[in-house]
Amino acid sequence: VAGFAAATAHRGIRLLRVPTTTLSQADSGVGVKNGINFMGQKNYLGTFAVPWATLNDFLFLHSQPFSLKRAGLAEVVKVAVVKDAVFFDWLEEHAGALAACRPDILEHAVERSALLHAEHIARGGDAFEMGSSRPLDFGHWAAHYMETMSGYTLGHAEAVSVGMCLDILYSVKKGWLSSRQAERIIAVLKALELPVFHPLLTRRTKDGACEILKGLEAFREHLGGQLTVLMLTGIGKGMDVHEIDAALMEECIREMQAQAASLE
């Protein structure tokens, strides 16, 4: 809200961001977007506005409640799997220390994630999202819609973790991503005690349709026309996809549900 106000008052006044959570220090705090949920839609109101500066103070990072501190690592894993295989290897190696939020390990993970996000925005060629697949939004088409479906009781980080798992499995089913690489990513999410399934994925509309798939249409509208989502072809590699096989996506959801049930 503050960012939106700063972007519109007097046609824009300088905004200094001071993000205070793992999620915001690692991701959104270094971005160029301001978004406000409105009329039941995620980020319906907002602007693109480059902050004058962002101050990531680790004193804030370490003062969070433990659950919030760890949950934000979902976006750290995301940027690693779409942008930096070497960083993902590091996350995999230090998953135990990250799960415990060991200060030095947490700080390195957040700093590296923030730099990767900032580098893509500055040098990716489409900072204001006029045509790209927005790789930093990997897994977000489902995540955003789950948040809406939950009445925003489901946190963004948790929703992103589940959304990534769905698109990872879809990438495997399409033959783009090896099952071994998928297993490695899911294992890291589990090690960080992030969710890999949520019952909202199975919810049906009154006419029996899979409700989460409405998130694809919402995502297409948000992009301004053509659906473009990123799917994985490897850790640190992705490709743009413009069509989604709804039946196959539902198959992925059923498989995720069965796997979750087997662990109960």
Side-chain angles (χ1 to χ4, degrees):
V1 172
F4 180 66
T8 54
H10 298 289
R11 291 186 294 275
I13 58 178
R14 287 181 177 181
L15 171 67
L16 173 64
R17 286 184 179 159
V18 187
T20 60
T21 64
T22 303
L23 185 70
S24 56
Q25 287 198 8
D27 179 2
S28 57
V30 299
V32 296
K33 293 186 286 188
N34 299 293
I36 305 170
N37 301 337
F38 183 68
M39 294 177 62
Q41 295 190 48
K42 176 81 173 180
N43 295 334
Y44 185 81
L45 298 178
T47 59
F48 287 96
V50 180
W52 186 60
T54 298
L55 175 63
N56 272 5
D57 189 334
F58 288 146
L59 290 176
F60 286 120
L61 189 67
H62 300 308
S63 68
Q64 303 169 87
F66 184 79
S67 59
L68 188 66
K69 188 186 300 186
R70 187 169 58 193
L73 292 169
E75 292 283 9
V76 177
V77 176
K78 175 215 68 182
V79 77
V81 300
V82 302
K83 283 288 181 180
D84 192 334
V86 173
F87 182 40
F88 178 81
D89 292 343
W90 184 89
L91 294 175
E92 189 175 42
E93 180 182 352
H94 295 87
L98 277 171
C101 293
R102 202 176 91 187
D104 58 329
I105 298 297
L106 181 64
E107 289 176 11
H108 177 78
V110 168
E111 181 175 358
R112 181 60 184 154
S113 176
L115 290 172
L116 284 169
H117 279 88
E119 181 179 12
H120 173 78
I121 293 165
R123 301 178 182 177
D126 192 16
F128 301 112
E129 299 178 355
M130 299 300 291
S132 77
S133 68
R134 304 189 303 168
L136 298 182
D137 276 353
F138 173 64
H140 281 51
W141 72 265
H144 282 175
Y145 209 72
M146 280 191 291
E147 290 177 70
T148 301
M149 290 168 66
S150 74
Y152 302 104
T153 59
L154 176 62
H156 180 69
E158 292 83 357
V160 167
S161 182
V162 175
M164 284 195 293
C165 290
L166 180 57
D167 284 352
I168 287 166
L169 183 54
Y170 185 86
S171 297
V172 172
K173 294 281 188 185
K174 292 292 287 186
W176 301 324
L177 179 69
S178 75
S179 58
R180 173 56 188 148
Q181 289 182 308
E183 289 166 2
R184 289 178 60 199
I185 301 168
I186 302 301
V188 169
L189 293 172
K190 288 180 176 178
L192 298 176
E193 298 189 28
L194 292 164
V196 295
F197 175 74
H198 195 283
L200 282 172
L201 290 178
T202 65
R203 200 162 85 179
R204 297 275 168 178
T205 62
K206 290 182 179 180
D207 61 2
C210 182
E211 187 171 357
I212 192 63
L213 294 180
K214 293 170 66 177
L216 289 167
E217 177 61 17
F219 210 67
R220 183 193 66 77
E221 291 177 355
H222 186 62
L223 290 170
Q226 184 183 41
L227 175 67
T228 307
V229 294
L230 186 88
M231 292 294 172
L232 292 183
T233 58
I235 294 175
K237 300 177 182 178
M239 70 174 183
D240 290 347
V241 173
H242 303 292
E243 295 181 359
I244 295 294
D245 184 331
L248 184 60
M249 192 64 78
E250 287 196 56
E251 182 182 325
C252 293
I253 292 171
R254 288 192 295 271
E255 185 170 322
M256 291 170 67
Q257 183 181 24
Q259 290 174 353
S262 68
L263 297 175
E264 293 178 353

